[in-house]
Amino acid sequence: MTTASRFPRTVQRLASKLPTEVNSAVRRLALLSLIGQTVLVVTGGAVRLTSSGLGCPTWPRCTNNSLVNTPEMGIHGFIEFGNRLLTFALAAVAVFLLVYLWKLRKERRDLFLLALGLLASIPAQAIIGGITVLSNLNPWVVGLHFLVSMALVVISTLLVNRAYGRTGRFKNRLLVDLPGVARPVMVAVAVCSAIAVMLGVIVTGAGPHAGDANAPRNDLDWDLVSHLHAIPAYLITAGSLFALYLVLRRKITGPFRTATYLLLAVTVLQAVIGFTQYYNGIPALLVGTHMLGAALLMIASTNAADLATHSPRR
């Protein structure tokens, strides 16, 4: 038997082993994708906060003569190239997830399309990252790069909820009845979270930590946009406290109660970090922590809104 004739049989043999229902492997890959997207936010922040934005001064190569960083580039080249490598790792996770979902692509179209969206975004992120480098870290392009990462965090959160049967058409978790007001409030909190993140990008573009000493800024009034950034943060806090009131007053249990506690904890943490960095000269470590908090906020608010949307109403 020739190699050419063996190949189709090998593919058929591997295809026969693919799952016909959502199993633990699919769930782990979905969770790994969410963790990886969150880590990518942190490593992207590390690139900027350590002034490693041009650690690889060109794209798609790291240098004109090398695909990878060289010892002469030092720690900045290592940090920037490490961030690029993580993108490839996330692409591999998305590919594996699509392969595992292949036999379920019609039955679980929701999961397949979410996984496909994650994979399709990888080239887009790579191109935006390349434009970021080639534009000498233009703050608007850097901001777009971050916002796409936030969108991927949201998609990954929805993917995890669907894979674990928490929400969606195929949910297998018992969700308690919620007051009718819970759904619009949680959706509003999620929208305000997205607005807060977008305004945070503008604040970052107006402040220090540009990613390189010669990188441009957006020339906006940093103090003004910081105060504008705080407005949706106040609304998120109000919405989270109202959700807590509903949970305690109506004695709500189950996933929504947990989601509410998580949302409030992340919101308070982000507020503390935000105020602390504002009044202490915007130290890099706190900025990085605030970026991680932004990813966690998008996870928490998306999760709470998703659960509220798919819970029965009283």
Side-chain angles (χ1 to χ4, degrees), residues 162-241:
R162 302 297 189 275
Y164 279 84
R166 290 162 53 86
T167 59
R169 288 176 51 207
F170 298 89
K171 70 175 185 291
N172 52 31
R173 303 288 181 92
L174 179 63
L175 299 179
V176 300
D177 295 357
L178 298 181
V181 71
R183 181 180 300 181
V185 169
M186 290 297 95
V187 171
V189 167
V191 171
C192 286
S193 298
I195 294 173
V197 168
M198 287 187 282
L199 290 174
V201 166
I202 298 176
V203 173
T204 299
H209 311 302
D212 187 80
N214 299 316
R217 301 282 74 204
N218 61 25
D219 297 326
L220 297 177
D221 186 328
W222 179 84
D223 194 60
L224 174 61
V225 290
S226 294
H227 282 85
L228 292 175
H229 169 57
I231 294 174
Y234 295 142
L235 295 176
I236 295 167
T237 303
S240 301
L241 289 173

